[in-house]
Amino acid sequence: MVNAVDIKKVIAIGGSDPSGGAGIQADIKTLEELGVYAYTALAAVTVQNSKGVKSYDVLSAKFLRDQIEAILDDTKVHGVKTGMLGSSENVMEIAYLVSGQMIENSIIDPVIKANDGKMLVPEASITVLKKRLLPYCFMITPNINEAEWLTGINIRNVDDFVGAAKALKETGVEWVLVKGGHLEGGKAIDLLFDGKNEYYFETDKIPIKNVRGTGCMMASAICAFLTQGMQVYDAVGKAKTYVANKIKKAVLLGKGSLQAIHSFNEGELSEDRTD
Ligand code: PXL
């Protein structure tokens, strides 16, 4: 029996993906599957399907703030996860939120580009994110491309990884998780760094490449597990396993990339990936 007072609540802030593979829709599905109530605030609305992002509109910072205030006026949240913020003004809005309301468990997935390479934020917002938002945040979860954008460091090997993590740590963020799934080689290596200790997560690469929303699911899962009281290392490890299982079970529903499926239990989904 779960009492309402014990339910953990996370607000996911980002862009909508009408095809449900990435963005806010991936966040909601992940958070709810992991037993956390998902509140949301939209920073942007994209037009996309499994083949890619066609266009997007960014909502105003005022409208974003109104959505967040409506929720916080009504309830307390235990975590915040951000994705596509779309503008420097929206990044500043989240900086006010995290610093002013002192929301714990703030996980920043620094969404910069879509899988198809389309820029999802203006370049100027990347500096604002580093200088004005990260100093107040608990964790940033860039993949290699995002870590390169954020730091200017070319990441080719594990030493570069450490350099990028150190550079990001200097922004003031408490934890950096650089996800190395896209690095050459048979292993997927992620580095978790708190300024002192380097924790490596090494797994065999899963030979399924084109699943969308893995970064959204990863950051949401970490946020969910942290609100449930898990230690950082354990939360990251468990989130990795969660996302790996989603990749292994992903199915082709459209004409492009594969979709993660959240609505079936273990064993209910056949091995056939096509619709
Ligand atoms: O996966 C990053 C991402 C996040 N949020 C939205 C997106 C994407 C990638 O396309 O469209 C809305």
Side-chain angles (χ1 to χ4, degrees):
M1 188 93 84
V2 180
N3 295 318
V5 291
D6 297 325
I7 296 175
K8 299 299 180 199
K9 294 163 277 180
V10 165
I11 180 166
I13 303 170
S16 145
D17 166 5
S19 60
I24 286 287
Q25 285 82 351
D27 296 333
I28 299 171
K29 289 186 255 186
T30 301
L31 292 166
E32 294 278 345
E33 189 182 2
L34 295 175
V36 167
Y37 190 91
Y39 287 97
T40 57
L42 284 187
V45 178
T46 71
V47 175
Q48 66 176 297
N49 56 28
S50 67
K51 293 189 281 184
V53 176
K54 291 189 168 54
S55 63
Y56 62 83
D57 259 8
V58 177
L59 304 186
S60 74
K62 160 86 170 66
F63 203 56
L64 177 60
R65 184 190 322 150
D66 287 351
Q67 295 172 68
I68 297 167
E69 279 180 357
I71 290 158
L72 297 185
D73 173 52
D74 198 34
T75 195
K76 169 186 158 58
V77 296
H78 305 93
V80 55
K81 180 265 166 188
T82 69
M84 175 186 180
L85 294 174
S87 70
S88 302
E89 292 78 12
N90 284 350
V91 174
M92 282 307 297
E93 220 33 71
I94 308 307
Y96 298 137
L97 166 75
V98 177
S99 62
Q101 305 266 345
M102 291 191 288
I103 299 185
E104 305 164 277
N105 302 315
S106 43
I107 312 298
I108 309 300
D109 183 23
V111 173
I112 297 174
K113 284 183 180 181
N115 275 4
D116 60 11
K118 193 179 181 70
M119 280 298 276
L120 295 178
V121 296
E123 239 180 284
S125 72
I126 299 170
T127 310
V128 180
L129 184 122
K130 280 197 296 187
K131 293 219 158 93
R132 309 297 290 274
L133 175 58
L134 289 186
Y136 305 110
C137 293
F138 189 68
M139 189 186 289
I140 182 164
T141 62
N143 61 28
I144 291 209
N145 295 332
E146 290 157 351
E148 288 184 332
W149 266 96
L150 287 159
T151 63
I153 295 172
N154 263 337
I155 302 177
R156 298 286 165 265
N157 53 43
V158 175
D159 286 345
D160 303 333
F161 239 49
V162 178
K166 285 189 173 153
L168 283 169
K169 178 66 189 130
E170 274 165 23
T171 61
V173 68
E174 279 185 56
W175 289 85
V176 179
L177 176 68
V178 187
K179 298 170 297 179
H182 297 100
L183 210 60
E184 297 284 302
K187 298 278 180 193
I189 301 172
D190 294 355
L191 168 60
L192 176 66
F193 185 60
D194 65 353
K196 290 199 278 298
N197 305 299
E198 293 162 23
Y199 303 94
Y200 290 92
F201 296 84
E202 193 177 309
T203 44
D204 287 332
K205 267 197 190 158
I206 307 167
I208 303 167
K209 284 211 162 66
N210 56 341
V211 182
R212 290 159 60 244
T214 52
C216 307
M217 290 190 281
M218 182 73 187
S220 290
I222 293 171
C223 193
F225 291 136
L226 289 175
T227 66
Q228 291 166 337
M230 216 173 274
Q231 295 300 311
V232 176
Y233 179 85
D234 297 334
V236 170
K238 219 164 160 210
K240 267 186 75 78
T241 306
Y242 174 82
V243 174
N245 285 333
K246 287 286 169 257
I247 294 172
K248 286 179 200 154
K249 293 270 162 65
V251 297
L252 186 65
L253 298 178
K255 298 191 175 88
S257 49
L258 304 175
Q259 309 273 133
I261 296 290
H262 300 256
S263 44
F264 298 97
N265 293 321
E266 195 66 29
E268 278 183 326
L269 210 56
S270 93
E271 294 299 311
D272 177 8
R273 292 181 181 283
T274 52
D275 63 1

